[in-house]
Amino acid sequence: QVQLVESGGGSVQAGGSLRLSCVIYGYTLSPDCMGWFRQAPGKEREGVAVVDADARTTYADSVNGRFTISQQNIRNILYLQMNSLKPEDTAMYYCAAHWSRASCSYTDPSRFVRWGRGTQVTVSS
């Protein structure tokens, strides 16, 4: 059974930084696409960033230039480095993975078949 476990969330002031980690357990094949999503109270889940099997990355406009997604070479740990945090970045952050080369997009969360339980990020002004 594949499991994803996030860590690294916390409370920071605006302008600060956090690094989220997501460890993937129990897989036999490396995911073709891994990503970070977030959901704030009362809002829909939104995609943040994804990285595909060729290490190509894509970011939502709202975080482009501030966040960096990366993974270890053996692709069992996914990271999200978040800099210049804003209060509007406050949300529960989830990592997710899928095993399809057809698409790797943060705008298509339905393709992601394994999700972590999330880690809370709170940014105060």
Side-chain angles (χ1 to χ4, degrees):
Q1 180 79 9
V2 176
Q3 292 186 326
L4 282 65
V5 180
E6 303 96 335
S7 63
S11 297
V12 296
Q13 290 190 328
S17 298
L18 284 173
R19 188 177 81 156
L20 307 184
S21 299
C22 173
V23 179
I24 304 176
Y25 299 96
Y27 68 96
T28 54
L29 293 174
S30 294
D32 291 300
C33 180
M34 299 169 61
W36 289 96
F37 296 79
R38 67 186 182 186
Q39 187 167 20
K43 295 187 177 181
E44 293 187 354
R45 180 179 56 190
E46 64 173 343
V48 175
V50 294
V51 55
D52 69 12
D54 296 318
R56 292 174 296 195
T57 59
T58 312
Y59 297 91
D61 289 344
S62 58
V63 305
N64 197 22
R66 299 187 298 122
F67 291 9
T68 303
I69 188 171
S70 63
Q71 58 193 359
Q72 281 197 339
N73 286 340
I74 57 175
R75 307 191 77 236
N76 71 322
I77 303 180
L78 182 70
Y79 300 103
L80 185 69
Q81 177 66 43
M82 305 185 295
N83 299 327
S84 302
L85 282 161
K86 304 175 181 180
E88 51 264 43
D89 294 318
T90 295
M92 184 73 78
Y93 283 72
Y94 302 89
C95 69
H98 73 66
W99 285 258
S100 170
R101 284 197 170 247
S103 171
C104 186
S105 172
Y106 64 83
T107 64
D108 192 7
S110 65
R111 287 192 176 271
F112 291 81
V113 295
R114 288 290 182 267
W115 293 79
R117 293 187 174 183
T119 185
Q120 178 68 37
V121 172
T122 303
V123 185
S124 58
S125 57

